[in-house]
């Protein structure tokens, strides 16, 4: 075993072997993998081995598609068989809501190039006669669904890596990972110490223990999972073709052919966590004791859906653990706060996602960024607020709802409330219907009178529709108030603060007393941040961005910091409110003795409001006249009392995030991770108008952004009005022009002020013309859409800037 290497990958399951292979594929051959037992020991060896492309996140779906296509390449490279079976498969819908979900997924697949199909009950019965179609509305069929041999596939990854120069050492447990001052690592093992430039935690069931060696917490938990293999079933082995996969979400089961019988697995509603206090190191190729009582209800439901199971004998029971993150997605990428330490954990669908995870991490390590947006699986989507007490109930909830309908507006209740601001009890008493964002409780809207304090999950307009409209009208006609705690906020100070901001931000850095809006770019020129920069003094700046991107943005700041610059995340150290609407100036003037009549749009100044000294910015995401008012959290209730009292003569009402996301449509404002994300460039989204092209600074991403500007974007973001009925765009719906899918939506919703359904969508640049007519597919129906060339509200910005 060598004692010095560029990368040590810890963990010899399918994910660790995929990472190792992809590092060699991208040119890093001086890499090694350490496995405490044999390859596949842990979760990999007992996996059911199924794979599919369907995923609610389009980037994850694309990575799953990459993973599936990779297996033939591995077979060609290594000569080993992955045991591939492309049997196709379908997901059943037994309610209209489930069918709406499948329609939404099919729509996404159109612009992704995936060849999925909606099936009728009769079509289901034709290709899978063992299915009882009573109560079935329809299904979504995916020809790429299939299964493989978990062991053979893992060893194919390993052999391909070895062929490219990688070293794999088994029966070599890692005991410690100790950082050196230069950012490299000493990996202490049972066979000696290895000095590595990079460490990758692909520990699977032991990822928590491996992470603890480096002093950090990884939010995942192992769960017990059952699947059964039946005896021979004539209705299966007498077929001319292999039986397709069938997922019955309502019945909590998935099914595929195994030899001459069936393999059927269950995601029961009452799951059980495994190894709550830590995974035992001596657990390897073992299984857990059978516990069929735990899945008895699920078994009974599967007998109803697939009657042949009731008389089929059980050949084998597989009961083993595998890991989940709180939201079910992988935990991948550079670990915030650690240098050269990477995560490849929580990949519960290893044979659907492992190849894509390996590719993304290898790209990240070798080039500094990935080819697509990683936000759905980036470990930085969780911050220091997440702890064991939150992770366990959230993982339990995720497992038990794995086959539940994933409504776009659903707010799941486990592990809540966790983080609350000083305003929580006030807003709760005013009827707040709560959402959560990055652990924080945030009002979605406010119920009044006998309106329910719960938003009905739906793909269509929910019972929040009327309340949201009420709040939008309050803002547009008078004044609304909204908490701004759920903004990410940073203090940037020091002699080199301006120089650092000029380099890390693509836009102009403001003069004292002023604000600018600027994108932050990756080296490839893609959008990794959408910031407001406020200058309080020559060496004192404030940044504002998405609250949920704190760990992501802080990691980037740390990776690119300069001397004599101090960046502090003050997201939870600073709070306050925004007030917006035509009466906002009158309300603010009431609570201060200072004259604010000369406060221009994008001004920032320190004001005395009653007892408090606060920072006030004249800017608003509502697109209306508005102010953001920042204070210490301990002062927030006092600030509220002053603003609320001053606002009552003007009809002030609180408004939540549902209203905020509706109001922004009136001015065509984009949103982080919808219109603005690492999948897109400033030229495509219109953010290039905020780039300071003339500033004499080689800001990060400049060369790529200038080339994109010179070449011209092949697609551009446009706003459309849609002839919708009871459902609006959520994101990734296909855009049709002349009978062809040419683009897709990034987000949308109902503009209560305009009384119109609206959507942002990418359109090929050559097709863009005034009043362009198109169709947007919403829940399987192609709705007429027309491009809106200029905002229908405050088109010249006079109200917002005046």
């Amino acid at each position: 075993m060598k004692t010095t290497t560029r990368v040590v990958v810890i963990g010899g399951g399918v994910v660790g072997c995929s990472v190792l292979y992809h590092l060699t594929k991208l040119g890093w051959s001086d890499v090694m993998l350490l496995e405490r037992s044999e390859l596949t020991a842990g979760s990999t060896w007992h996996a059911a081995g199924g794979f599919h492309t369907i995923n609610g996140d389009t980037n994850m779906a694309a990575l799953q598609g990459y993973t599936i296509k990779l297996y033939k390449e591995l077979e060609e490279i290594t000569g080993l068989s992955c045991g591939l079976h492309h049997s196709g498969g379908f997901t059943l819908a037994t309610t209209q809501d489930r069918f709406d979900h499948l329609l939404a997924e099919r729509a996404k697949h159109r612009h992704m190039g995936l060849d999925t199909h909606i099936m009728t009950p009769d079509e289901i019965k034709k290709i899978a006669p063992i299915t009882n179609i009573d109560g079935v509305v329809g299904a979504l069929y995916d020809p790429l669904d299939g299964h493989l041999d978990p062991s053979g596939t893992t060893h194919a990854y390993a052999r391909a890596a070895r062929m490219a120069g990688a070293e794999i050492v088994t029966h070599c447990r890692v005991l410690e990972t100790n950082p050196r001052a230069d950012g490299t690592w000493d990996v202490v093992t049972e066979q000696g110490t290895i000095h590595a430039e990079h460490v990758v935690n692909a520990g699977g069931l032991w990822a928590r223990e491996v992470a603890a060696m480096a002093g950090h917490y990884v939010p995942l938990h192992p769960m017990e999972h059952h699947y059964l293999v039946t005896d021979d079933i004539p209705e299966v082995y007498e077929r001319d073709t292999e039986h397709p996969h069938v997922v019955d979400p309502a019945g909590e089961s998935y099914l595929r052919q195994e030899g001459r019988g069936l393999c059927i697995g269950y995601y029961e509603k009452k799951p059980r966590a495994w190894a709550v206090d830590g995974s035992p190191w001596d657990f390897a190729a073992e299984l857990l004791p059978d516990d069929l009582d735990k899945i008895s209800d699920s078994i009974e439901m599967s007998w109803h859906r697939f009657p042949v199971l009731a008389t089929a004998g059980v050949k084998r029971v597989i009961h083993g653990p595998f890991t989940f993150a709180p939201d079910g997605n992988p935990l991948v990428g550079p670990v915030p706060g650690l240098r050269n330490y990477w995560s490849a954990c929580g990949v519960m669908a290893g044979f659907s996602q492992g190849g894509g995870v390996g590719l993304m991490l290898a790209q990240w390590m070798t080039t500094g960024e990935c080819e697509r947006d990683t936000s759905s699986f980036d470990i930085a989507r969780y911050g220091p607020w997440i702890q064991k007490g939150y992770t366990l109930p959230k993982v339990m909830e995720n497992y038990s709802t794995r086959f539940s309908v994933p409504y776009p507006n659903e707010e799941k209740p486990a592990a809540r409330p966790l983080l609350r601001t000083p305003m929580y009890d006030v807003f709760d008493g005013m009827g707040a219907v709560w959402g959560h964002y990055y652990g924080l409780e945030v009002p979605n809207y406010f119920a009044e009178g006998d309106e329910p304090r719960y938003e009905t999950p739906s793909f269509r307009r929910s019972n929040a529709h009327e309340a949201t409209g009420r709040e939008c009208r309050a803002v547009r006609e008078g004044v609304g108030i909204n908490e701004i705690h759920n903004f990410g906020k940073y203090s940037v100070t020091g002699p080199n603060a301006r120089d650092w901001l000029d380099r890390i931000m693509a836009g102009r850095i403001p003069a004292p007393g002023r604000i600018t809006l600027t994108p932050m770019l990756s080296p490839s020129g893609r959008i990794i941040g959408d910031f407001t920069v406020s200058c309080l003094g020559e060496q004192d700046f404030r940044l504002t961005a998405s609250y949920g991107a704190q760990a992501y943005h802080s990691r980037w700041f740390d990776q690119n910091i300069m001397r004599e610059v101090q960046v502090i995340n003050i997201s939870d150290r600073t709070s306050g409110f925004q007030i917006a609407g035509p009466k906002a100036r009158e309300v603010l003037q009431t609570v201060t003795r200072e004259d604010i009549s000369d406060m221009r749009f994008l001004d920032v100044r320190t004001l005395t409001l009653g007892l408090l000294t606060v920072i006030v910015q004249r800017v608003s995401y509502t697109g209306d006249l508005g102010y953001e008012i920042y204070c210490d959290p301990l002062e927030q209730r006092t600030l509220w009392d002053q603003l609320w009292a001053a606002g009552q003569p003007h009809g002030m009402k609180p408004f939540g995030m549902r209203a905020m996301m509706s109001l922004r449509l009136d001015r065509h404002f984009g949103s982080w991770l919808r219109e603005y994300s690492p999948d897109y460039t400033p030229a495509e989204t219109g953010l290039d108008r905020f780039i300071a092209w003339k500033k004499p600074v080689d800001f990060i991403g400049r060369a790529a952004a200038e080339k994109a500007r010179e070449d011209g974007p092949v697609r551009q973001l446009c706003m459309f009005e849609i002839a919708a009925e009871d459902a609006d765009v959520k994101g990734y719906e296909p855009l049709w022009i002349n009978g062809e899918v040419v683009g897709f939506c990034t987000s949308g919703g109902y503009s209560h002020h305009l009384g119109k359904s609206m959507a942002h969508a990418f359109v090929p640049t050559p097709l863009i013309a005034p009043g362009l007519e198109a169709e947007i597919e919403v829940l399987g129906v192609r709705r007429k859409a027309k491009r809106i060339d200029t905002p229908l509200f405050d088109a010249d910005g006079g109200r917002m800037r005046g």
Side-chain angles (χ1 to χ4, degrees):
M1 181 180 75
K2 58 186 177 183
T3 58
T4 303
T5 188
R6 192 169 197 173
V7 181
V8 164
V9 178
I10 302 173
V14 63
V15 174
C17 290
S18 171
V19 171
L20 193 73
Y21 163 68
H22 281 94
L23 285 170
T24 64
K25 185 177 182 179
L26 297 186
W28 284 16
S29 59
D30 180 20
V31 295
M32 65 189 302
L33 181 148
L34 305 178
E35 165 55 44
R36 68 187 176 85
S37 181
E38 297 284 353
L39 296 183
T40 77
S43 295
T44 296
W45 79 272
H46 63 70
F51 54 78
H52 57 273
T53 59
I54 295 176
N55 191 290
D57 180 84
T58 55
N59 280 307
M60 284 305 308
L63 293 181
Q64 289 175 196
Y66 166 81
T67 300
I68 294 168
K69 294 174 183 177
L70 176 65
Y71 293 134
K72 288 186 179 179
E73 177 183 324
L74 286 175
E75 290 182 331
E76 293 171 358
I77 292 171
T78 65
L80 296 178
S81 172
C82 293
L84 293 175
H85 293 257
H86 281 286
S87 58
F90 54 84
T91 301
L92 300 173
T94 53
T95 66
Q96 186 59 48
D97 275 4
R98 289 191 184 276
F99 195 58
D100 282 349
H101 170 232
L102 299 184
L103 291 172
E105 289 303 298
R106 173 64 189 111
K108 292 178 185 177
H109 297 162
R110 292 192 198 279
H111 78 81
M112 294 175 64
L114 295 175
D115 187 29
T116 56
H117 308 276
I118 295 295
M119 299 177 63
T120 67
D122 288 343
E123 290 172 323
I124 296 166
K125 193 68 175 177
K126 185 176 180 180
I127 70 169
I130 68 169
T131 306
N132 174 7
I133 60 172
D134 288 351
V136 173
V137 179
L140 179 65
Y141 179 76
D142 185 350
L144 289 180
D145 273 12
H147 60 278
L148 45 66
D149 169 23
S151 179
T153 300
T154 305
H155 282 278
Y157 276 122
R159 176 177 288 186
R162 283 190 179 110
M163 290 170 65
E167 180 177 355
I168 296 176
V169 184
T170 58
H171 299 284
C172 184
R173 178 181 156 193
V174 173
L175 304 176
E176 300 175 19
T177 54
N178 300 318
R180 292 188 180 185
D182 63 357
T184 62
W185 293 82
D186 287 326
V187 181
V188 182
T189 79
E190 294 173 322
Q191 298 184 28
T193 298
I194 303 162
H195 179 217
E197 183 179 347
H198 299 270
V199 171
V200 177
N201 178 2
L205 293 176
W206 296 270
R208 294 173 298 173
E209 287 72 24
V210 172
M213 294 177 191
H216 87 95
Y217 172 67
V218 58
L220 55 78
H221 202 93
M223 298 295 293
E224 298 179 1
H225 182 66
H226 267 102
Y227 69 88
L228 314 177
V229 179
T230 72
D231 288 329
D232 295 356
I233 299 175
E235 291 89 341
V236 174
Y237 68 74
E238 291 177 354
R239 291 170 54 94
D240 294 332
T241 59
E242 185 172 7
H243 196 283
H245 284 213
V246 186
V247 177
D248 179 25
E252 304 169 0
S253 67
Y254 60 88
L255 172 150
R256 67 167 176 82
Q257 185 170 341
E258 175 72 13
R260 290 161 61 91
L262 293 169
C263 166
I264 183 164
Y266 301 98
Y267 282 92
E268 66 277 13
K269 294 292 186 185
K270 297 179 180 179
R272 183 174 297 130
W274 181 74
V276 173
D277 296 319
S279 302
W281 287 108
D282 59 355
F283 187 87
E286 294 86 12
L287 291 173
L288 307 177
D290 297 348
D291 187 6
L292 297 181
D293 288 343
K294 180 164 66 81
I295 58 171
S296 59
D297 290 345
S298 299
I299 291 174
E300 185 175 345
M301 288 189 287
S302 67
W303 285 2
H304 168 73
R305 185 59 61 204
F306 311 105
V308 296
L309 293 172
T311 56
V314 176
K315 181 187 298 183
R316 193 162 68 252
V317 177
I318 307 296
H319 187 207
F322 65 126
T323 57
F324 275 80
D327 61 3
N329 276 350
L331 298 162
V332 181
V335 174
L338 297 179
R339 293 172 63 189
N340 297 333
Y341 193 97
W342 306 79
S343 177
C345 308
V347 189
M348 54 76 54
F351 293 97
S352 290
Q353 301 171 344
V357 165
L359 174 66
M360 290 298 100
L361 192 64
Q363 287 181 350
W364 220 330
M365 295 176 71
T366 59
T367 69
E369 59 180 307
C370 304
E371 66 185 56
R372 61 180 64 249
D373 179 16
T374 62
S375 58
S376 63
F377 55 91
D378 189 342
I379 191 171
R381 70 185 183 276
Y382 294 111
W385 53 270
I386 195 167
Q387 300 176 36
K388 294 178 182 179
Y390 176 94
T391 299
L392 179 55
K394 212 66 185 173
V395 166
M396 296 277 283
E397 177 185 62
N398 182 272
Y399 185 101
S400 66
T401 59
R402 175 149 171 75
F403 282 160
S404 297
V405 180
Y407 296 103
N409 66 328
E410 185 173 20
E411 294 286 351
K412 294 182 178 179
R416 294 177 58 198
L418 177 64
L419 305 179
R420 291 179 280 186
T421 76
M423 287 300 298
Y424 181 87
D425 60 332
V426 173
F427 284 153
D428 200 55
M430 299 177 77
V433 178
W434 295 97
H436 71 293
Y437 188 44
Y438 202 65
L440 178 69
E441 294 295 311
V442 178
N444 280 337
Y445 65 97
F446 291 83
E448 293 185 358
D450 59 357
E451 292 175 346
R453 295 286 297 275
Y454 173 74
E455 182 178 4
T456 303
S458 177
F459 287 91
R460 301 170 190 271
R461 292 175 192 158
S462 74
N463 62 322
H465 190 73
E466 292 303 319
T468 301
R470 183 171 62 234
E471 293 170 21
C472 289
R473 288 189 292 274
V475 172
R476 289 288 183 249
E477 297 171 6
V479 61
I481 187 167
N482 175 274
E483 192 172 18
I484 53 174
H485 186 79
N486 59 318
F487 289 176
K489 300 173 282 287
Y490 310 87
S491 166
V492 181
T493 58
N496 288 331
R498 179 176 291 276
D499 290 343
W500 181 76
L501 286 169
D502 253 330
R503 168 156 170 71
I504 204 165
M505 300 293 175
R508 183 175 56 83
I509 306 306
R514 292 291 287 166
I515 301 167
T516 55
L517 309 177
T518 172
M520 185 168 71
L521 306 182
S522 71
S524 65
R526 290 183 293 170
I527 302 165
I528 59 172
D530 171 29
F531 281 83
T532 298
V533 181
S534 308
C535 182
L536 305 182
E538 267 304 328
Q539 298 184 21
D540 188 359
F541 296 84
R542 296 291 185 272
L543 310 181
T544 306
S546 168
Y547 187 82
Q550 287 176 59
Y552 175 86
H553 286 149
S554 293
R555 181 178 64 195
W556 185 251
F557 296 157
D558 289 344
Q559 290 171 350
N560 293 279
I561 199 64
M562 289 172 57
R563 292 181 58 193
E564 296 190 280
V565 177
Q566 186 177 33
V567 181
I568 301 174
N569 183 349
I570 58 171
S571 299
D572 295 327
R573 303 186 198 179
T574 304
S575 193
F577 303 94
Q578 67 165 318
I579 56 174
K583 300 294 186 180
R585 182 183 287 112
E586 296 173 51
V587 171
L588 184 59
Q589 187 64 78
T590 300
V591 295
T592 181
R593 296 180 62 188
E594 301 172 54
D595 182 13
I596 61 168
S597 62
D598 63 341
M599 191 171 184
R600 300 169 297 164
F601 180 63
L602 299 182
D603 270 356
V604 56
R605 63 178 62 170
T606 300
L607 293 177
T608 299
L609 304 188
L611 303 174
L612 307 176
T613 299
V614 299
I615 294 173
V616 179
Q617 301 187 161
R618 187 167 161 205
V619 66
S620 175
Y621 190 53
T622 66
D624 217 313
L625 170 65
Y627 302 87
E628 294 174 355
I629 307 166
Y630 294 89
C631 66
D632 187 285
L634 293 177
E635 300 171 335
Q636 190 178 11
R637 292 285 287 271
T638 299
L639 179 60
W640 164 261
D641 290 341
Q642 294 176 181
L643 293 172
W644 185 247
Q648 292 316 290
H650 303 287
M652 176 182 280
K653 284 186 175 292
F655 66 100
M657 290 305 296
R658 296 282 186 265
M660 178 83 84
M661 296 308 286
S662 173
L663 293 165
R664 59 114 186 177
L665 296 172
D666 300 345
R667 287 283 302 156
H668 303 186
F669 288 169
S671 177
W672 177 243
L673 294 184
R674 292 178 176 89
E675 286 67 50
Y676 310 138
S677 87
D679 279 334
Y680 312 132
T681 69
E684 293 174 327
T685 59
L687 281 186
D688 55 342
R689 69 188 185 277
F690 296 115
I691 292 179
W693 300 105
K694 295 182 180 179
K695 72 178 182 179
V697 178
D698 186 21
F699 58 82
I700 296 173
R702 178 165 195 152
E706 287 179 335
K707 186 177 187 308
R709 183 192 192 197
E710 198 174 301
D711 295 343
V714 298
R715 62 183 182 184
Q716 289 179 272
L717 199 63
C718 298
M719 177 62 83
F720 286 86
E721 173 189 343
I722 310 171
E725 291 185 359
D726 64 340
D728 303 297
V729 160
K730 301 298 187 291
Y732 300 109
E733 291 84 350
L735 178 85
W736 298 74
I737 296 179
N738 297 326
E740 294 185 7
V741 174
V742 299
F744 63 95
C745 298
T746 53
S747 74
Y750 187 78
S751 165
H752 289 271
H753 176 69
L754 300 175
K756 299 177 184 292
S757 185
M758 310 287 284
H760 292 278
F762 277 115
V763 182
T765 301
L767 298 181
I768 296 175
L772 172 69
E773 293 187 352
E775 293 177 306
I776 292 175
E777 184 177 341
V778 181
L779 297 183
V781 180
R782 285 155 62 172
R783 303 289 184 181
K784 290 184 178 180
K786 182 179 180 180
R787 179 176 175 239
I788 305 299
D789 303 316
T790 58
L792 300 179
F793 167 73
D794 195 28
D796 63 357
R799 183 153 149 176
M800 181 175 67
R801 295 182 172 88

